[in-house]
Amino acid sequence: MSTSRDPGRRRPRIRSVLAAVAIALTVLASTAPTVGAQGYGTLDDGTVSDSSPAPGQTVDLVIDGFLPDSQVSVVLRSDPIALGTFTADGDGVLRTSVVIPAGVAAGSHSIVASGVNAANEPVTATIAITVAAVGSGALPSTGGDIAAVLTVSVALLAAGIASMLVGRRRRGAPS
C-alpha cells in the first residue's frame, strides 16, 4: 500500500515555520517596551557627578524621561536606603543632589530613581556607583614585609662570605 501526496497541496516545511516564528518573536521583542524591576519600564541611565563617592559625600544626579513636574523617588541599593523624593522639572528632567549616607559599606551600589514617564507609566533609571572606603587615618602600606627581605639578604650575604673563604683556602693551600 503506497501513500501519495496530493500534488496540488503542499505542506510547509518545519524549518520554514520555525524561521517565521523566530522572526516574528524577534520583531515583537524589539518593539516591546523594556521592563525593569517591579514591572517598571527603564529609562536611559542618568548621570552622576561622582561615580565613586565616599559615605557622607553629596552627588548630583541628572536623569531625563520623567513626566514633567512629577515626583521621583530616589533609593540607594544594594541595601535599600531612601535618599528622598524629588520633583522633575518642566521638561521631565530630574536634577537633584543626594547625600550618600554615612555607614554605607564600601563597594558596588546603585542609585535607582523611580517615577512615571510622559504616558504616566511607571519607569526607573539606574546609575551604578562604587562607594569608596572611608580612610582610617593611617598611612597606606606601600611595601612588602621587611622581615622577609632582611632574612633573604642576610642569608645571601652569609653564602657570599662562605664562598669567599672557601676560595681563599683553596688558593692558599700548597699543591
Side-chain angles (χ1 to χ4, degrees):
M1 174 165 148
S2 69
T3 59
S4 65
R5 287 191 224 173
D6 180 6
R9 182 176 152 207
R10 295 184 176 231
R11 294 166 58 184
R13 293 182 154 168
I14 294 292
R15 287 183 184 160
S16 298
V17 171
L18 290 176
V21 169
I23 291 170
L25 289 174
T26 302
V27 170
L28 285 174
S30 67
T31 59
T34 305
V35 176
Q38 302 168 349
Y40 282 41
T42 56
L43 299 174
D44 290 335
D45 297 338
T47 61
V48 63
S49 60
D50 186 352
S51 61
S52 298
Q57 183 178 336
T58 299
V59 295
D60 300 322
L61 304 175
V62 178
I63 305 168
D64 189 14
F66 294 105
L67 176 69
D69 303 313
S70 65
Q71 296 295 298
V72 179
S73 172
V74 180
V75 175
L76 178 68
R77 298 197 182 269
S78 62
D79 297 331
I81 300 171
L83 300 178
T85 300
F86 307 94
T87 303
D89 66 17
D91 294 322
V93 179
L94 174 66
R95 300 175 202 278
T96 192
S97 298
V98 295
V99 176
I100 304 302
V104 171
S108 297
H109 296 274
S110 297
I111 296 175
V112 180
S114 303
V116 294
N117 63 14
N120 212 26
E121 300 166 333
V123 290
T124 64
T126 302
I127 302 171
I129 62 169
T130 301
V131 174
V134 178
S136 62
L139 293 174
S141 174
T142 58
D145 182 14
I146 191 71
V149 173
L150 285 175
T151 302
V152 170
S153 297
V154 169
L156 289 173
L157 183 60
I161 291 171
S163 175
M164 265 182 25
L165 291 174
V166 168
R168 280 188 184 167
R169 281 191 181 166
R170 287 188 181 168
R171 271 190 254 143
S175 7

